[in-house]
Amino acid sequence: MKIGIVGAGQVGASAAYAIALLGKAREIVLIDLDPAMAAAQAEDISHAMPFAATSEVRAGGYADLTGAEVVIIAAGVSQQPGETRLDLLARNAAVFRIVTDQVLTHAPDAILLIASNPVDVMTGITVRLTGLPAHRVIGSGTILDTARFRVLLGQHLRIDPRSIHAYVLGEHGDSEVLSWSSAQVGARDLTSYAQDSGAPITYDVRARIDDGVRRAAYRIIEGKGATYYGIGAGLARLVTAIGGDERSVHSVSVMTSDVEGIKDVPLSLPRILGKTGVIGDVAPEISADEHAALGVSAKLLKDTLEAVRL
C-alpha cells in the first residue's frame, strides 16, 4: 500500500511514524511546503525501520503521489493575531484548494484523510472543493476523543480500553457528545457492569471523565505545545482499516445527508471503513438528551461551514 502525507509537521510525521512502525505501507511519501523539513522527517523515520518493518519512507513532490491509495492531508496555516476563526478557515480553504488539486492530479483515485483542524469543517470544505463523493473524503473526526473516552473508562473500571465500546459523536471540539447511553463493556451495558463491578458511574465520575475527554487537548497543548502522538496513531489505524478492507467501525467525520434534521453536515458518527472508504454508518442508540446535544453540534458545524468563503 502506498500512502501520501501532505504536511510534514508534528501530526503528519507522527502519522508517518505510526504507519511505518505498524508495517502497513510499502511506501510513505512526505510532502511539505518546506522540503528540508519533509526530507529530515523522512530520513529520521527511515532510520527506525530496521527495528520495525520494511516500509520505505521518503520525501517527495506531488508527482510522487502517483499510485497512492490514501493521502493524509495535515497541512494548513496558523491563526494570526486578531484574525477571526472564519478568516482562518478561508485561508486554509485556499491552501486546500491548491493541495487537493495537486493531489488529485497525481492520485485521482486516492481516499483523502483530513487531519487539519478544525477537522470537521475542513472535511466539508474538501468535499466542496473537490466534488468527490463523501465516502472518499474522511476526517479524523472524533477518533481521538473516542480513544480518550475509552482510556478514561478503562482506568475507572480497571479494564483494557480495547474491550470498551463507547463513542464520541458530532464535532471534534467543544460541542462533541459523549454517548454514555450506548456505551458497553464487552456485551454488557456500561452502567450495569460498572455497578456490578463496584465502580459505579456516578455523577462525579461522569463529570470527571467528560472533562478529561473534552479538555484533554487544552491540557496537552498547555504542557507541550501541541497534540500529535494520539492522532498520529489514530490516522495509522484508519489507514490500516482501509488498506485491509477491514469493514471495522470508527468514529470518523464525513459529509452526512441528515443528522437531527440538519442537512449535509460534516461530523462524526460510528462508520464502517473499508477499501473504498466509508461503506456505511452504525447509528448508535442514544438518549433524548444526547440527540438534542448532537443536533446542537450539527447546527454549529453546518453554520460554520456555510459561512466560509470559498
Side-chain angles (χ1 to χ4, degrees):
M1 186 180 191
K2 182 175 180 177
I3 306 296
I5 300 177
V6 181
Q10 296 283 29
V11 170
S14 295
Y17 184 53
I19 293 165
L21 285 181
L22 290 172
K24 297 302 181 182
R26 71 177 187 281
E27 182 180 358
I28 301 169
V29 178
L30 284 168
I31 299 171
D32 198 271
L33 191 61
D34 180 353
M37 160 82 85
Q41 297 280 33
E43 184 176 6
D44 193 14
I45 295 168
S46 71
H47 295 164
M49 291 304 93
F51 305 110
T54 58
S55 299
E56 177 190 358
V57 186
R58 64 188 178 92
Y62 286 105
D64 296 296
L65 293 178
T66 300
E69 296 165 63
V70 176
V71 175
I72 297 169
I73 302 180
V77 296
S78 300
Q79 192 163 7
Q80 301 299 314
E83 185 176 41
T84 68
R85 187 166 181 258
L86 287 178
D87 287 339
L88 173 64
L89 280 166
R91 288 203 299 129
N92 265 325
V95 170
F96 266 50
R97 186 184 298 277
I98 296 168
V99 168
T100 56
D101 180 64
Q102 288 292 319
V103 168
L104 293 176
T105 294
H106 298 286
D109 299 322
I111 291 170
L112 303 185
L113 283 184
I114 311 302
S116 304
N117 277 320
V119 68
D120 305 292
V121 179
M122 294 311 301
T123 299
I125 286 171
T126 303
V127 170
R128 292 186 173 186
L129 289 174
T130 63
L132 290 174
H135 71 272
R136 280 184 55 195
V137 181
I138 305 168
S140 56
T142 59
I143 56 168
L144 184 52
D145 311 273
T146 289
R148 291 165 175 162
F149 191 18
R150 294 177 180 182
V151 164
L152 291 173
L153 284 171
Q155 290 172 354
H156 176 69
L157 298 170
R158 296 186 179 180
I159 285 181
D160 184 339
R162 293 172 298 179
S163 296
I164 296 172
H165 310 291
Y167 293 92
V168 177
L169 316 175
E171 180 193 17
H172 171 55
D174 292 342
S175 74
E176 65 190 22
V177 181
L178 278 64
S179 180
W180 290 93
S181 62
S182 65
Q184 291 187 302
V185 178
R188 288 281 305 276
D189 167 78
L190 169 67
T191 302
S192 64
Y193 175 83
Q195 188 67 42
D196 291 349
S197 66
I201 307 293
T202 63
Y203 175 85
D204 287 344
V205 168
R206 284 184 59 144
R208 174 175 55 79
I209 291 176
D210 185 280
D211 181 75
V213 174
R214 204 176 297 276
R215 304 293 300 176
Y218 296 102
R219 289 190 300 274
I220 294 169
I221 290 169
E222 182 180 359
K224 68 173 195 170
T227 66
Y228 38 87
Y229 292 133
I231 191 59
L235 291 165
R237 182 67 188 93
L238 298 183
V239 165
T240 300
I242 294 166
D245 195 20
E246 285 185 355
R247 297 177 175 250
S248 50
V249 178
H250 307 273
S251 56
V252 292
S253 182
V254 300
M255 284 290 283
T256 309
S257 59
D258 189 322
V259 178
E260 303 297 333
I262 308 297
K263 309 294 184 184
D264 300 320
V265 58
L267 51 59
S268 288
L269 295 171
R271 324 263 189 187
I272 304 167
L273 278 189
K275 193 74 172 177
T276 58
V278 171
I279 298 168
D281 297 344
V282 183
E285 295 182 357
I286 58 178
S287 69
D289 287 345
E290 290 165 350
H291 274 293
L294 184 58
V296 169
S297 188
K299 186 172 190 309
L300 171 68
L301 289 168
K302 175 71 171 182
D303 289 348
T304 303
L305 177 61
E306 292 296 329
V308 179
R309 301 185 307 273
L310 295 181

